Amino acid sequence: MAEPSTPELPRDRHLFAPGRKRILSLDGGGVRGVLSVAFLERIEALLAEDAGKPVRLCDHFDLIGGTSTGALIAAGLAIGLSAQDLRGFYFEAAPRIFRHSRLRMFGVLEPRFDARPLEEEIYRVVGTRHLDSADILTGLAVVSKRMDTNSTWVLSNNPRAPYWDDKPGGAIGNKHFPLTAVVRASTAAPHYFAPQPIQIVAGERPGLFVDGGVTPYKNPALPLLMQALMAPHGLNWQAGAEHLQIISIGTGERRERMAPGKAPPRTSAGVALQALVGALADSSVASLTMLHWLSGTRALWPVNSEIGDLATVAPPLGQPLFGFHRYDAHLEANWLADELGIVVKPQELRMLWRLDQPAAVPRLYEIGQKAAAKFIRAEDFRSHDLPRSGAPA
């Protein structure tokens, strides 16, 4: 297995030096990514207060990974940007990216949005970098879905990864992939944007990639954990709450329910769509359940009525595999009012659920700020032994 050619790089010190390791996992969710930005601003402020000086998250975390909008945030943080730097993407760029057109109103014959503004804004953040660029200052991983092979891809800047270098037969090493294309692939939500082509083998048709949110890993924490601990990936970090910490940040969750008295879908297509939406939601719940269970971490909200908040459930073999914190908010009227004192009307609430509504950004940011102030504590970052999680499940 190839050794890093330049071990003095900040990336390699994060990935391969001994000691405690920290992972930051960022969910997908379109414009709702601004909610994650608010949580990140709070984390930056607490770390700076503790250190007595500004702290970049690329210096604090050894691996930052994201799906969809979380991939963009992860890439920005990994090159040294602050959460405040990334806030403008949602307040300023989102209206240009999600500009509705009469010709694309329904997204049936072609995607609802032209992908060029999205690609331009991603390029504005990450520039001409490739996965092996030396100024990616920490570990970075991005989740996407390759359509033509029906496989989940987790692309990282780990130089010990199996496909980092070129292979016989013309296979192009991952280290050559442009970061703009990698992030754009993860944000290519079907129906909203066209797939992103990436050349995998010289002379062959490019692979077609779509949003990582249509994999089981809208929340990428589990594949990031696998990257850290599974031998084929080459990191081989040490397990245990005292050695490994995962911070997982969401973009606002809600439980899909059929309104009382509403008739079920009448067409096969309607049933299929509703089942797909439900399957993706189930994947998110399953991931969070596993993360809480493997870490022995209590959730502040019940996972479901059967297992509750896992307060009485011991981790497998009795020992936490890692320390874990999850931060998120429920985009439901009762929860917002009771927990954050925010009153939203039904029409505004439906707008908050959407992935493509720039008008919702200010309210989403407010929700993120208030949830972050309530649930993120300074002691969460002073120890790897994390007894509770600040996340609705």
Side-chain angles (χ1 to χ4, degrees), residues 282-327:
D282 289 343
S283 294
S284 292
V285 173
S287 289
L288 276 177
T289 303
M290 291 296 295
L291 289 161
H292 283 105
W293 182 40
L294 293 173
S295 65
T297 305
R298 176 186 174 187
L300 290 182
W301 289 267
V303 172
N304 58 40
S305 60
E306 187 173 19
I307 60 176
D309 62 8
L310 282 79
T312 61
V313 179
L317 305 179
Q319 294 295 324
L321 194 61
F322 51 91
F324 181 64
H325 265 299
R326 168 75 174 177
Y327 306 119

Side-chain angles (χ1 to χ4, degrees), residues 120-144:
E120 290 168 1
E121 292 298 334
I122 293 172
Y123 183 85
R124 186 179 64 80
V125 174
V126 304
T128 60
R129 294 174 177 88
H130 292 70
L131 280 177
D132 67 344
S133 292
D135 59 351
I136 300 177
L137 302 173
T138 190
L140 172 66
V142 172
V143 179
S144 61

Side-chain angles (χ1 to χ4, degrees), residues 175-300:
K175 66 182 181 181
H176 300 300
F177 292 176
L179 188 53
T180 293
V182 170
V183 174
R184 161 75 174 94
S186 186
T187 60
H191 175 71
Y192 294 96
F193 298 106
Q196 172 67 31
I198 297 179
Q199 195 71 46
I200 307 299
V201 179
E204 293 188 6
R205 180 179 297 177
L208 285 181
F209 291 82
V210 297
D211 196 304
V214 298
T215 73
Y217 306 124
K218 176 196 171 197
N219 174 353
L222 274 179
L224 295 178
L225 176 66
M226 291 187 281
Q227 293 271 323
L229 298 182
M230 294 180 72
H233 298 295
L235 296 182
N236 298 311
W237 291 354
Q238 189 170 356
E242 69 276 23
H243 303 295
L244 178 61
Q245 179 191 57
I246 299 177
I247 301 296
S248 174
I249 299 181
T251 57
E253 294 291 341
R254 71 183 181 97
R255 187 171 182 177
E256 295 280 351
R257 296 181 177 89
M258 189 176 294
K262 182 179 179 181
R266 293 178 177 270
T267 65
S268 294
V271 172
L273 178 60
Q274 187 160 324
L276 174 61
V277 171
L280 293 174
D282 289 343
S283 294
S284 292
V285 173
S287 289
L288 276 177
T289 303
M290 291 296 295
L291 289 161
H292 283 105
W293 182 40
L294 293 173
S295 65
T297 305
R298 176 186 174 187
L300 290 182

Side-chain angles (χ1 to χ4, degrees), residues 13 87 148 348:
R13 289 197 294 272
R87 186 201 313 162
D148 53 310
E348 183 183 16

Side-chain angles (χ1 to χ4, degrees), residues 85-140:
D85 292 331
L86 293 165
R87 186 201 313 162
F89 181 87
Y90 297 94
F91 279 89
E92 298 161 16
R96 192 166 79 88
I97 293 169
F98 295 102
R99 181 178 297 165
H100 291 273
S101 164
R102 290 181 180 273
L103 298 176
R104 296 173 176 263
M105 185 63 70
F106 301 106
V108 176
L109 299 178
E110 59 181 335
R112 293 194 68 181
F113 303 103
D114 182 353
R116 285 174 296 181
L118 172 61
E119 186 169 351
E120 290 168 1
E121 292 298 334
I122 293 172
Y123 183 85
R124 186 179 64 80
V125 174
V126 304
T128 60
R129 294 174 177 88
H130 292 70
L131 280 177
D132 67 344
S133 292
D135 59 351
I136 300 177
L137 302 173
T138 190
L140 172 66

